[in-house]
Amino acid sequence: MSTDHVPAVPESAPSRRDRVYATIRDELMNGGFSPYERLTEERLAERHGVSRTPVREALARLQSDGIVVKREGGLYLYVPSFRELTDLYELRITLELRGLTRALEDPTVRHDRPRLEAELDHWYGLRDHRPAPDAGFVAHDEQFHTTLLDASGNPALTGALAQANRRIRSVRMYDYLTEDRMTATITEHIEIAELVVRDRLPEALEALREHVGASREVVMHRAAAALEMTRNLAGQVTR
């Protein structure tokens, strides 16, 4: 049987869906669309040279991420108010720190060490094979923080954190677009988890407080820039 001709392997549906999702997401986050511009399957499919199916799936994922919202009978880029973002970040910080303070206050509260060690292994892998800056890295970050909190044994706190994360995810994605923030996130996550695994909770609490605070400053700075861009776009629309 001849082996001269090997048929090309077609691109898999999942990889095509992921590509369309990532492309639209990055355009939304980098000012490619005004918050006042309706996002339609037809226009996006034509823009990216694909069928409407992967675009429809991408828009559904972007809604789940909180980047796209439904209003006025259509889908639009979501831009939270600065006050809303401030309040949600305060909630996030309170929940995350509580996972450690409750263990400090009650000696019967013990963190799930095997879960934290497994999460540490994941971050050691990211440190050794560092991915390029990408907004999607927020999924790794959320996993770390929810695992750290859940390991303290109160699922109600974890559920509240997951809900807060969903509401600020669209803005927090801006935290992972530069090499320095990627490096800092990986390094600090490893430091925090190692301290908790070693039962050095006071030090872990301080490291977590500094880590989340630094992330907050970056996100708020970039959120302010995004809101300014939104105001400029609104001015262009109304001219």
Side-chain angles (χ1 to χ4, degrees), residues 11 27 33 36 45 54 69 72 117 119 140-141 145:
E11 181 184 17
E27 285 182 324
F33 294 89
Y36 306 95
V69 293
E72 301 169 5
E117 289 175 342
E119 186 66 17
H140 293 279
D141 181 83
H145 287 283

Side-chain angles (χ1 to χ4, degrees), residues 14-34:
S15 68
R16 183 168 59 252
R17 288 198 298 268
D18 290 344
R19 175 174 55 80
V20 172
Y21 161 76
T23 301
I24 296 174
R25 180 199 66 197
D26 292 347
E27 285 182 324
L28 289 167
M29 294 180 61
N30 288 295
F33 294 89
S34 160

Side-chain angles (χ1 to χ4, degrees), residues 45-62:
E46 181 179 356
R47 181 177 180 133
H48 297 288
V50 296
S51 70
R52 290 173 58 180
T53 298
V55 171
R56 184 181 307 119
E57 293 170 348
L59 289 173
R61 288 177 65 182
L62 290 164

Side-chain angles (χ1 to χ4, degrees), residues 121-131 137 140 186 190:
D121 286 340
H122 174 69
W123 287 88
Y124 288 147
L126 291 172
R127 179 191 62 189
D128 297 340
H129 304 283
R130 186 163 302 158
F137 192 77
H140 293 279
I186 293 170
I190 290 173

Side-chain angles (χ1 to χ4, degrees), residues 156-216:
L157 290 174
T158 309
L161 177 62
Q163 186 176 33
N165 278 338
R166 281 193 295 272
R167 295 179 65 188
I168 61 176
R169 182 182 298 147
S170 61
V171 181
R172 290 198 61 242
M173 285 183 168
Y174 288 96
D175 201 9
Y176 306 106
L177 301 182
T178 60
E179 290 280 359
D180 62 324
R181 288 303 302 157
M182 293 284 288
T183 299
T185 297
I186 293 170
T187 301
E188 290 166 16
H189 282 186
I190 290 173
E191 176 191 7
I192 293 163
E194 286 181 339
L195 288 169
V196 177
V197 166
R198 296 170 186 165
D199 288 325
R200 294 166 58 182
L201 298 185
E203 295 166 79
L205 179 63
E206 186 57 33
L208 179 61
R209 194 192 312 275
E210 292 180 5
H211 168 69
V212 180
S215 174
R216 178 185 181 279

